[in-house]
C-alpha cells in the first residue's frame, strides 16, 4: 500500500497568515493527489484534486502544488472558517490511502 | 445540487450483519463510480470499497474483502454496503461518496461529494 505522511500534525495560524501543509507519498503518485477539509461533526469536503486543480466553489486562497512524492496545500490568507482538519489522499492505486490529518486552529 | 443520504447504521454485536444504504439525488447516478469511506471515532479516513458505473467492477480494502459487499441499483439511484461478520474494528462513521476521475500521466480517483455519514458501532 502507498503510505501518505502529513506534516505537521497540528498548527495554529493568525488571521491573514499564510499556511502550508505538507504531504509525502511512499512512492511516486504522478499528481494523483487530493486534499480535503473536515470541520468538527461534518463530513470531509474536497478542496483540491490532481495535486493543483481547485474544486468548484472552493475559495481561491486555497492552492495545491507538488509532484512525484512531495505535495503541499497552501492557504494564502488564513480565515476563521478555515479551522478544521485537512487530509491528503492518493488516488493512483488501490487501496486509496489518506494521510493522518493536520489540525489547523486559529491563533 | 448533489445530495447523498446514508442510512442503516446502528449498534450490532460482533459477528452479526448490517446493511447500509445511500440514497443519491441531484446528479445522474449511473454516470459515477461510487465508494464507501469510513472514519473510526477521533481517527482518520479509510477507504473501504468502490464500485463501477454499472456495478460490474468492485474493489475492496483487504481488511473487509470477503466480509463486505458493495452494490448499487441505478434505477433507484442507490448504493449499498452489506457488512457481514462484523468486528469491533469496523466501528466507524461510514460515508457514501461519489468518485471523481481524471488523468494526468496516469488515471487517478478522488472523492468529490460526501454524505453526512451513518455511525456503525460493533460491540457486545
Amino acid at each position: 500500500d502507498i503510505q501518505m505522511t502529513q506534516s505537521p500534525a497540528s498548527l495554529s495560524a493568525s488571521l491573514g497568515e499564510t499556511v502550508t501543509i505538507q504531504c509525502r507519498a511512499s512512492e511516486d503518485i504522478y499528481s494523483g493527489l487530493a486534499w480535503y477539509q473536515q470541520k468538527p461533526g461534518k463530513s470531509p469536503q474536497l478542496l483540491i484534486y490532481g495535486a493543483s486543480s481547485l474544486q468548484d466553489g472552493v475559495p481561491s486562497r486555497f492552492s495545491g502544488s507538488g509532484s512525484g512524492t512531495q505535495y503541499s496545500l497552501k492557504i494564502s490568507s488564513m480565515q476563521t472558517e478555515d479551522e478544521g482538519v485537512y487530509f491528503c489522499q492518493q488516488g493512483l492505486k488501490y487501496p486509496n490511502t489518506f494521510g493522518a490529518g493536520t489540525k489547523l486552529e486559529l491563533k | 445540487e448533489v445530495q447523498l443520504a446514508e442510512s442503516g447504521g446502528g449498534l450490532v454485536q460482533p459477528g452479526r450483519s448490517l446493511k447500509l444504504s445511500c440514497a443519491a439525488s441531484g446528479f445522474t447516478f449511473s454516470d459515477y463510480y461510487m465508494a464507501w469511506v469510513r472514519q473510526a471515532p477521533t481517527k482518520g479516513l479509510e477507504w473501504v470499497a468502490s464500485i463501477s458505473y454499472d456495478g460490474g467492477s468492485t474493489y475492496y480494502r483487504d481488511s473487509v474483502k470477503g466480509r463486505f459487499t458493495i452494490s448499487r441499483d441505478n434505477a433507484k439511484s442507490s448504493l449499498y454496503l452489506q457488512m457481514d461478520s462484523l468486528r469491533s474494528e469496523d466501528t466507524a462513521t461510514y460515508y457514501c461518496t461519489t468518485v471523481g476521475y481524471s488523468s494526468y500521466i496516469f488515471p487517478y480517483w478522488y472523492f468529490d461529494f460526501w454524505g453526512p455519514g451513518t455511525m456503525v458501532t460493533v460491540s457486545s
Side-chain angles (χ1 to χ4, degrees):
Chain A
D1 299 1
I2 298 177
Q3 306 303 313
M4 305 301 292
T5 304
Q6 276 184 247
S7 62
S10 64
L11 76 158
S12 60
S14 304
L15 278 175
E17 185 177 343
T18 296
V19 173
T20 301
I21 298 170
Q22 308 283 352
C23 183
R24 184 181 79 250
S26 59
E27 62 183 81
D28 194 334
I29 57 171
Y30 300 95
S31 296
L33 184 99
W35 289 97
Y36 304 86
Q37 177 196 61
Q38 186 176 33
K39 297 184 180 181
K42 299 293 187 181
S43 54
Q45 287 196 311
L46 177 69
L47 300 173
I48 302 282
Y49 61 95
S52 60
S53 297
L54 195 66
Q55 173 71 343
D56 290 345
V58 174
S60 59
R61 63 180 179 275
F62 290 91
S63 64
S65 64
S67 63
T69 62
Q70 302 279 358
Y71 299 87
S72 61
L73 173 71
K74 187 172 83 170
I75 307 173
S76 61
S77 177
M78 175 75 180
Q79 302 299 306
T80 305
E81 60 267 31
D82 298 337
E83 284 191 302
V85 181
Y86 292 79
F87 296 94
C88 62
Q89 172 246 329
Q90 68 81 16
L92 182 71
K93 292 183 180 179
Y94 287 118
N96 295 160
T97 45
F98 293 84
T102 295
K103 185 174 184 179
L104 175 61
E105 295 178 321
L106 188 63
K107 192 182 292 181
Chain B
E1 180 192 2
V2 172
Q3 292 197 345
L4 300 168
E6 305 91 341
S7 60
L11 174 63
V12 61
Q13 293 178 327
R16 304 298 291 264
S17 298
L18 205 60
K19 186 173 185 177
L20 306 183
S21 299
C22 172
S25 61
F27 64 104
T28 304
F29 184 71
S30 58
D31 284 351
Y32 276 81
Y33 269 55
M34 297 293 295
W36 291 95
V37 176
R38 69 185 179 185
Q39 186 172 34
T42 71
K43 298 292 185 181
L45 299 166
E46 185 174 79
W47 168 79
V48 175
S50 295
I51 188 167
S52 61
Y53 310 108
D54 62 355
S57 296
T58 56
Y59 311 85
Y60 300 93
R61 68 179 303 104
D62 284 350
S63 62
V64 308
K65 211 172 289 184
R67 299 189 299 122
F68 289 12
T69 303
I70 188 172
S71 62
R72 64 190 297 161
D73 184 335
N74 286 346
K76 295 183 178 179
S77 295
S78 292
L79 177 71
Y80 306 100
L81 185 67
Q82 175 68 44
M83 303 185 294
D84 299 324
S85 303
L86 281 161
R87 306 168 180 167
S88 58
E89 55 264 36
D90 297 318
T91 293
T93 296
Y94 284 73
Y95 297 103
C96 166
T97 79
T98 57
V99 181
Y101 163 88
S102 192
S103 183
Y104 177 52
I105 298 175
F106 296 106
Y108 59 87
W109 311 91
Y110 52 91
F111 308 106
D112 41 6
F113 296 100
W114 300 60
T118 187
M119 181 69 198
V120 173
T121 302
V122 184
S123 174
S124 54

